[in-house]
Amino acid sequence: MPAGEFRYPSSPPPETEDDEGWVWNQIKEEARCDAESEPALASYLYSTILSHSSLERSLSFHLGNKLCSSTLLSTLLYDLFLNAFSTDPSLRSAAVADLRAARVRDPACVSFSHCLLNYKGFLACQAHRVAHKLWNQSRRPLALALHSRISDVFAVDIHPAARIGKGILFDHATGVVVGETAVIGNNVSILHHVTLGGTGKAGGDRHPKIGDGVLIGAGATILGNVRIGEGAKIGAGSVVLINVPPRTTAVGNPARLVGGKEKPAKHE
Amino acid sequence: MPAGEFRYPSSPPPETEDDEGWVWNQIKEEARCDAESEPALASYLYSTILSHSSLERSLSFHLGNKLCSSTLLSTLLYDLFLNAFSTDPSLRSAAVADLRAARVRDPACVSFSHCLLNYKGFLACQAHRVAHKLWNQSRRPLALALHSRISDVFAVDIHPAARIGKGILFDHATGVVVGETAVIGNNVSILHHVTLGGTGKAGGDRHPKIGDGVLIGAGATILGNVRIGEGAKIGAGSVVLINVPPRTTAVGNPARLVGGKEKPAKHE
Amino acid sequence: MPAGEFRYPSSPPPETEDDEGWVWNQIKEEARCDAESEPALASYLYSTILSHSSLERSLSFHLGNKLCSSTLLSTLLYDLFLNAFSTDPSLRSAAVADLRAARVRDPACVSFSHCLLNYKGFLACQAHRVAHKLWNQSRRPLALALHSRISDVFAVDIHPAARIGKGILFDHATGVVVGETAVIGNNVSILHHVTLGGTGKAGGDRHPKIGDGVLIGAGATILGNVRIGEGAKIGAGSVVLINVPPRTTAVGNPARLVGGKEKPAKHE
């Protein structure tokens, strides 16, 4: 189907001064429109989006519902998330940047509310950011309990110590594994089944460092404390054990640079 | 253990005129037998199979239970599934063809009821068909909500717009990703971790087209609007970016045709 | 972060005569410490660990909670697990050996209780051992129902007939698939997305046999009734269709032995 058939604008408008407010208004507008056209979803959309006064409340409610269990109650998780999002504006702006990333970079993403409600990669990433905050506050048992629920519910396994920038798209997201000392820059796109892992040979700082604007294809496995330069592209199914220079492409198992190590082909 | 040890017939009988009725009777017979031998399962088998008057009711109840959440109630989902299965005979015959596919092609599938109750690939595929119907009826927010639940619960991510034939075996199924414009023919077998994805370079019609009778091995990644001809085989772990002619085999990363592009070895 | 920052001992003490009792005491001590420092977890830790009189009761409660559904009640599962763990000391000693394996081999595992509570690979493996026992007692429908729940909840798909030794680390674990006739020795480490599968060409005994002390990297696919010798290492992303001699390394797609088939490089 041509993308234009759908009723939402085909690309989001540029960022405004109050970007969070603008995106939240957009989400509520979309939810109202969907609730009207689909009565079967009206109650779900009301409880998850329309009854809330802000993006942080809606997101906290939705994450609490998704991640709760009979022993980790949704109310406890709601309070935990809301407290984190309310007191840390960087968590909110990262969430908004991630919503924009999905909307701009994923042709299958039809609206902000679609991403907020349905993208397990988006939800896992927001919950991870809260787990990471708890980890840095030395509330590690709670950070690890949250990590475990994210891995059970979304099949996305990001160690709470891993550092992740903003404007991140975890597309499809099932099976993603990100190790304890991994670092991911801004505006990175990571497909499903991607591993940022260790080689098993070293302790300490043992996981990949991913530069800004990198694209990592489905099923790629990047192992060890290697550096993937900004704007680099990693082919689907690659096994990467080497540094990849900025704006170059690595493919294959084991991965080699396209154009060779001496003269890698740069793009853009 | 030799397959013959088990108490169900080792292969299903040929299709009959009322195939759906025959398979449903078989399922009830198996469930009765299991409930008698295993009291711990009696109540589960009664509520999921034996209390229902038809395959469509049993399947709708089971899917509703598996996919419901605190905000998407099982009763809503049950009504949704039952309405779709009751009014669309092609959904029912596809389900029966899928049950037969598992029974015939998977040596570990011991009975129809085993597949109906336990195969996440079978259940995800039936739920997808309902999501696809909703998508075509322009009930897209509901189709996407269902898609999201299928991805959360089964770790099987099939875009509701993707078109899938009948007689499909999604074996193990964890991690399968099928993109928006992918098309899968009839009698196709797809193992776990298989991706039918885009290359990220194009919008519009950007996903693979899989012919009848194709077998795709575990972890294979097929990207772009390429055509996999009928009866072709794709090796486990392959990364396929090219068309594959009918009845040929492709293996490796990047995948090459066995026998070469000029003279690919045909099988059967 | 340096591992030494954390408050638990950085490596577990040697095995004692009453290893199970020692580990259980350690777990309770860790849980008490965490409950005190993190009131948000106190009730969870009390109900899951501190209120129980033994490791087998705590583990049975936790597995019952994780794997239950609206049709397979947690009380039924709790009784099932507790009965198996209480009457079969080998299940308990295997659980203790697995806890030690995670603690020793995974640098990100900070405590025994962290593994018991949060490692989906550990929990899936303990539940599998109970499913395997049921399978051998000819309670196959129940074994398969349990198998299905493990696959849904943890995205770990181990056929109940598969035989697995002790001291096993399933690290991250998402997407692991182990076929019906696979055998895994003792002290094996298996990363996420690993498949021990069939080639689809044969029935009967058709899955890999993994020797003691083998390490299988992330995303490796081992297919067919091949033998991976003791202490062998299988590289991440490999596709292995051949026997691998003891203490040798196989890498690539298709996998080759490092050093060649005639003179493979042995390690250790």
Side-chain angles (χ1 to χ4, degrees):
Chain A
M1 130 191 117
E5 253 188 58
F6 214 78
R7 70 176 167 282
Y8 306 120
S10 65
S11 75
E15 296 184 32
T16 63
E17 226 169 290
D18 176 17
D19 204 30
E20 191 186 327
W22 188 89
V23 167
W24 173 238
N25 277 329
Q26 194 71 11
I27 287 171
K28 279 190 296 184
E29 200 47 58
E30 294 163 0
R32 243 177 247 122
C33 170
D34 288 348
E36 234 166 82
S37 77
E38 182 60 79
L41 283 179
S43 143
Y44 168 62
L45 291 166
Y46 181 77
S47 67
T48 311
I49 293 178
L50 294 168
S51 68
H52 297 284
S53 57
S54 64
L55 178 55
E56 69 213 56
R57 287 180 182 272
S58 170
L59 184 53
S60 300
F61 175 86
H62 194 41
L63 287 175
N65 260 338
K66 287 265 193 188
L67 296 174
C68 70
S69 72
S70 62
T71 43
L72 272 178
L73 302 185
S74 64
T75 47
L76 183 149
L77 292 177
Y78 174 74
D79 288 346
L80 188 72
F81 288 122
L82 187 55
N83 186 268
F85 290 124
S86 303
T87 58
D88 188 342
S90 77
L91 291 180
R92 297 202 301 275
S93 71
V96 170
D98 294 354
L99 285 165
R100 283 192 173 278
R103 195 75 184 77
V104 170
R105 283 182 241 152
D106 179 4
C109 183
V110 292
S111 69
F112 291 116
S113 60
H114 173 32
C115 179
L116 172 68
L117 292 170
N118 297 328
Y119 273 42
K120 56 160 72 170
F122 172 77
L123 295 169
C125 187
Q126 310 320 307
H128 161 76
R129 289 209 183 91
V130 174
H132 181 63
K133 195 179 166 73
L134 294 167
W135 183 265
N136 286 338
Q137 293 169 335
S138 293
R139 299 177 71 179
R140 290 180 183 177
L142 186 56
L144 293 168
L146 196 49
H147 168 219
S148 166
R149 285 302 298 162
I150 299 167
S151 176
D152 284 2
V153 171
F154 298 123
V156 174
D157 179 345
I158 307 174
H159 193 285
R163 286 185 284 149
I164 299 187
K166 49 196 261 184
I168 305 299
L169 170 63
F170 283 110
D171 201 2
H172 303 294
T174 301
V176 162
V177 172
V178 178
E180 183 176 3
T181 61
V183 179
I184 298 174
N186 297 318
N187 303 315
V188 170
S189 297
I190 293 180
L191 274 281
H192 52 287
H193 301 322
V194 162
T195 295
L196 307 181
T199 60
K201 288 175 197 151
D205 189 359
R206 62 197 184 279
H207 296 109
K209 311 295 176 271
I210 310 297
D212 292 346
V214 167
L215 168 64
I216 308 179
T221 303
I222 308 179
L223 301 180
N225 189 358
V226 297
R227 196 163 289 276
I228 310 300
E230 62 176 49
K233 293 183 182 174
I234 308 299
S238 307
V239 177
V240 180
L241 306 164
I242 54 171
N243 291 327
V244 175
R247 285 173 303 288
T248 55
T249 297
V251 298
N253 174 5
R256 52 190 173 71
L257 304 180
V258 173
K261 199 178 161 183
E262 298 305 312
K263 245 182 112 174
K266 295 233 170 184
H267 41 77
E268 285 163 318
Chain B
M1 124 187 125
E5 253 188 57
F6 214 77
R7 69 176 168 282
Y8 307 118
S10 65
S11 75
E15 296 183 33
T16 64
E17 226 169 288
D18 177 17
D19 205 30
E20 190 186 327
W22 187 90
V23 166
W24 172 238
N25 277 329
Q26 195 70 13
I27 287 170
K28 280 190 297 184
E29 199 48 57
E30 294 164 1
R32 244 176 246 122
C33 171
D34 289 348
E36 234 166 81
S37 78
E38 182 60 78
L41 284 178
S43 144
Y44 167 63
L45 290 167
Y46 180 78
S47 67
T48 311
I49 293 178
L50 294 169
S51 68
H52 298 284
S53 58
S54 65
L55 178 56
E56 70 214 54
R57 286 179 182 273
S58 169
L59 183 54
S60 299
F61 175 86
H62 195 40
L63 286 174
N65 259 337
K66 288 264 194 188
L67 297 173
C68 69
S69 71
S70 62
T71 42
L72 272 178
L73 302 185
S74 64
T75 47
L76 184 149
L77 292 178
Y78 175 75
D79 287 346
L80 188 72
F81 288 123
L82 187 55
N83 186 268
F85 290 125
S86 302
T87 58
D88 188 341
S90 77
L91 291 180
R92 297 201 303 274
S93 70
V96 170
D98 294 354
L99 285 166
R100 284 193 172 279
R103 194 78 183 77
V104 169
R105 282 182 242 152
D106 178 3
C109 183
V110 293
S111 69
F112 291 115
S113 60
H114 173 32
C115 179
L116 172 68
L117 292 171
N118 297 327
Y119 273 42
K120 57 161 69 169
F122 171 78
L123 295 169
C125 187
Q126 309 320 308
H128 161 74
R129 290 210 182 89
V130 174
H132 182 62
K133 194 179 165 76
L134 295 167
W135 184 265
N136 287 338
Q137 293 169 337
S138 291
R139 299 177 70 180
R140 291 180 182 177
L142 187 55
L144 292 168
L146 196 49
H147 169 218
S148 168
R149 285 302 297 161
I150 299 167
S151 177
D152 283 2
V153 171
F154 298 124
V156 174
D157 180 344
I158 307 174
H159 193 284
R163 286 184 284 148
I164 299 187
K166 50 195 262 185
I168 305 300
L169 171 62
F170 282 110
D171 200 2
H172 303 294
T174 301
V176 162
V177 172
V178 177
E180 183 175 4
T181 60
V183 179
I184 299 174
N186 298 317
N187 303 313
V188 169
S189 298
I190 293 180
L191 273 281
H192 52 287
H193 300 323
V194 163
T195 295
L196 307 181
T199 59
K201 288 176 199 152
D205 190 0
R206 62 198 183 279
H207 296 109
K209 312 294 177 271
I210 310 297
D212 294 345
V214 167
L215 168 65
I216 308 179
T221 303
I222 308 179
L223 299 180
N225 188 358
V226 297
R227 195 163 289 277
I228 310 300
E230 62 177 48
K233 292 182 182 175
I234 308 299
S238 306
V239 176
V240 180
L241 306 164
I242 54 170
N243 291 326
V244 175
R247 284 173 303 288
T248 54
T249 297
V251 298
N253 174 5
R256 53 191 171 70
L257 304 180
V258 172
K261 199 178 161 184
E262 297 305 312
K263 247 182 109 174
K266 295 232 171 187
H267 40 77
E268 286 164 318
Chain C
M1 120 184 130
E5 253 188 59
F6 215 77
R7 69 178 168 283
Y8 308 118
S10 65
S11 74
E15 296 183 33
T16 62
E17 227 170 287
D18 176 18
D19 204 31
E20 191 186 326
W22 187 89
V23 166
W24 173 239
N25 277 329
Q26 194 71 12
I27 287 170
K28 281 191 297 186
E29 198 49 56
E30 294 164 0
R32 244 176 247 122
C33 171
D34 289 348
E36 234 165 82
S37 78
E38 183 59 80
L41 283 179
S43 142
Y44 167 62
L45 290 167
Y46 180 78
S47 67
T48 311
I49 293 178
L50 294 168
S51 69
H52 298 283
S53 58
S54 65
L55 178 56
E56 69 213 55
R57 285 179 183 273
S58 169
L59 183 54
S60 300
F61 175 86
H62 195 41
L63 287 174
N65 260 337
K66 287 265 194 187
L67 296 173
C68 70
S69 71
S70 63
T71 43
L72 271 179
L73 303 185
S74 64
T75 48
L76 184 150
L77 292 177
Y78 175 73
D79 287 347
L80 188 72
F81 288 123
L82 187 55
N83 186 268
F85 290 125
S86 302
T87 58
D88 188 340
S90 77
L91 291 180
R92 297 201 301 275
S93 69
V96 170
D98 294 354
L99 285 165
R100 283 192 173 279
R103 195 77 183 76
V104 171
R105 281 182 243 153
D106 178 3
C109 181
V110 293
S111 68
F112 291 116
S113 60
H114 173 32
C115 179
L116 172 67
L117 292 170
N118 297 328
Y119 273 43
K120 56 160 70 167
F122 171 78
L123 294 169
C125 187
Q126 311 319 309
H128 160 76
R129 288 210 183 91
V130 173
H132 182 62
K133 195 180 165 75
L134 294 167
W135 183 266
N136 287 339
Q137 292 169 336
S138 293
R139 299 177 71 179
R140 291 180 182 176
L142 187 55
L144 292 168
L146 196 49
H147 169 218
S148 166
R149 284 302 297 162
I150 299 167
S151 177
D152 284 2
V153 171
F154 298 123
V156 174
D157 180 343
I158 307 174
H159 193 285
R163 286 183 285 148
I164 298 187
K166 51 196 261 183
I168 306 300
L169 171 62
F170 283 109
D171 201 2
H172 304 294
T174 300
V176 162
V177 172
V178 177
E180 183 176 4
T181 61
V183 179
I184 298 174
N186 298 317
N187 304 314
V188 170
S189 297
I190 293 180
L191 273 281
H192 51 287
H193 300 321
V194 162
T195 295
L196 307 181
T199 60
K201 289 177 197 150
D205 190 359
R206 62 197 183 280
H207 296 108
K209 311 295 177 271
I210 309 298
D212 293 346
V214 167
L215 168 65
I216 308 179
T221 303
I222 309 179
L223 300 180
N225 189 358
V226 298
R227 196 162 289 276
I228 310 300
E230 62 177 48
K233 293 183 182 174
I234 308 298
S238 306
V239 177
V240 181
L241 306 163
I242 53 171
N243 292 326
V244 176
R247 285 173 303 287
T248 54
T249 297
V251 297
N253 173 6
R256 53 190 171 70
L257 304 180
V258 172
K261 198 178 161 184
E262 299 305 311
K263 246 182 109 174
K266 295 233 171 184
H267 41 78
E268 285 165 318

